[in-house]
Amino acid sequence: MENLTNINVIKDIFERHGFTFSKALGQNFIINPSICPKIAELGNAKKGFGVIEIGTGVGVLTNELAKRADKVAAVEIDSRLIPILQETLAEYDNVTVINADVMKTDLNAVIEENFKGLEVAVCANLPYYITSPIIMYLLESRLPIKSITVMVQKEAGVRLCAKPGSRECGAVTAAVHYYAEPKLLFNVSRGSFMPAPNVDSCVIRLDIRDPPAVSVTDEKFFFRVVRGAFSQRRKNLANSLSSSMSADKQTVISAIKAAGLSENIRPEQLTLQQFADVSEQLSTLI
Ligand code: SAM
């Protein structure tokens, strides 16, 4: 295929297919030629691997994944891109394009159907309107995958890679650290996209942990505690948890103290292990 990062090539494809960008679907396509090979190489697109891609656009990253991995399954919501992909991916027989919303796609079934005997990785330039929900969906689906390598908005990347116990930490950060070891790989300027977004971006990789970072008796309850803790950013842990979990404040304070923490501690000061400790204590009291 001709160079899909060349603006004239893309414009010609769009004209022939009558395609116009959808802002609502987060369509900012990569036009910097150095980015996609790097995502593919750092994202485990290699022999012995099947790669799931989310959001193909015109297939610029899909091409780089298909060159390197044994198989690629790419999920794209916009049906207008399907005839374009038939053209831009014509030379590959190892790519399956699935025209669907990734949030409604059973990715365990996709893996089962397409990647028998292969290790699996996820690579994507994510649509920014739905970054955190997609990452949480991937992690909570407990897919048998090695890594998730994604381009996200720069601030989102910094927050996702922040350490629990630091100021930038939120509920999604804690969840990411529970399931994976996040790493910020490299920054990408806004000029690398067409159309250029208003923000810079970065590529992060989440290396999936097996088992998760801390051991908890009841994972659902643990995540209720984590989400509840960060539900009211200005409140301390005791106040946030008592209102979000409809629990008596003294009971929550007892659990926090039994976990060896100060009753005035703030949610962003807790490590993952301390969240696990509070969750274990609280589950015996409410
Ligand atoms: N991979 C291409 C690139 O790097 O140039 C396109 C990336 S663009 C930021 C995001 C892509 O995700 C768009 O093609 C958009 O149509 C698609 N998309 C948006 N929401 C989606 C969803 N819920 N499920 C699957 N694809 C989605």
Side-chain angles (χ1 to χ4, degrees):
M1 181 64 213
E2 281 181 285
N3 183 358
L4 289 175
T5 55
N6 181 317
I7 295 179
N8 292 327
V9 171
I10 303 174
K11 279 188 177 155
D12 172 61
I13 293 174
F14 285 0
E15 252 170 52
R16 282 190 289 105
H17 289 269
F19 181 86
T20 48
F21 290 104
S22 158
K23 211 172 171 184
L25 289 177
Q27 290 180 341
N28 302 96
F29 297 166
I30 297 175
I31 50 163
N32 176 337
S34 71
I35 308 291
C36 292
K38 240 163 131 180
I39 295 178
E41 262 151 40
L42 297 171
N44 280 320
K46 56 187 176 193
K47 287 269 151 287
F49 270 78
V51 178
I52 296 178
E53 187 191 6
I54 298 156
T56 58
V58 289
V60 61
L61 175 60
T62 326
N63 261 269
E64 299 300 331
L65 300 174
K67 272 184 216 165
R68 294 168 173 83
D70 283 4
K71 290 193 89 182
V72 177
V75 185
E76 170 57 58
I77 196 171
D78 189 344
S79 56
R80 299 172 309 152
L81 288 166
I82 305 305
I84 294 180
L85 292 165
Q86 273 159 7
E87 187 179 321
T88 60
L89 299 172
E91 70 192 84
Y92 300 102
D93 58 7
N94 61 342
V95 181
T96 303
V97 176
I98 301 160
N99 183 200
D101 178 346
V102 69
M103 299 297 288
K104 294 183 184 150
T105 304
D106 179 348
L107 294 173
N108 273 303
V110 169
I111 291 172
E112 185 99 334
E113 270 165 40
N114 293 279
F115 299 153
K116 281 241 160 65
L118 297 175
E119 294 213 72
V120 183
V122 175
C123 288
N125 171 16
L126 288 180
Y128 292 170
Y129 75 98
I130 195 179
T131 298
S132 290
I134 290 179
I135 290 179
M136 288 314 299
Y137 181 63
L138 293 171
L139 293 170
E140 285 173 357
S141 299
R142 288 300 185 94
L143 306 172
I145 55 176
K146 258 230 141 23
S147 60
I148 299 172
T149 306
V150 283
M151 173 112 68
V152 298
Q153 202 173 314
K154 198 165 170 187
E155 292 92 76
V158 169
R159 214 173 38 250
L160 289 167
C161 295
K163 284 213 158 48
S166 71
R167 209 156 45 91
E168 296 85 5
C169 182
V172 177
T173 319
V176 162
H177 279 264
Y178 175 79
Y179 289 113
E181 204 177 324
K183 260 192 213 89
L184 205 155
L185 297 180
F186 59 94
N187 292 323
V188 178
S189 71
R190 61 194 77 186
S192 300
F193 301 88
M194 183 171 88
N198 296 326
V199 290
D200 291 321
S201 299
C202 66
V203 175
I204 60 171
R205 189 179 65 222
L206 313 179
D207 290 316
I208 305 302
R209 300 180 198 266
D210 186 22
V214 293
S215 146
V216 291
T217 317
D218 181 346
E219 207 170 77
K220 263 203 179 127
F221 189 83
F222 169 73
F223 280 112
R224 269 182 66 203
V225 169
V226 171
R227 264 194 292 272
F230 288 105
S231 60
Q232 286 144 321
R233 279 310 286 242
R234 277 189 222 101
K235 289 192 177 173
N236 67 21
L237 182 67
N239 285 327
S240 287
L241 283 183
S242 67
S243 70
S244 64
M245 303 196 60
S246 313
D248 169 59
K249 190 170 166 195
Q250 280 317 313
T251 307
V252 175
I253 289 177
S254 304
I256 292 173
K257 284 185 169 166
L261 301 169
S262 149
E263 66 175 85
N264 296 317
I265 196 160
R266 308 187 71 78
E268 63 274 18
Q269 293 176 303
L270 269 71
T271 63
L272 218 49
Q273 185 57 57
Q274 288 168 330
F275 270 118
D277 294 343
V278 170
S279 162
E280 295 300 302
Q281 294 298 335
L282 197 56
S283 69
T284 63
L285 298 175
I286 63 173

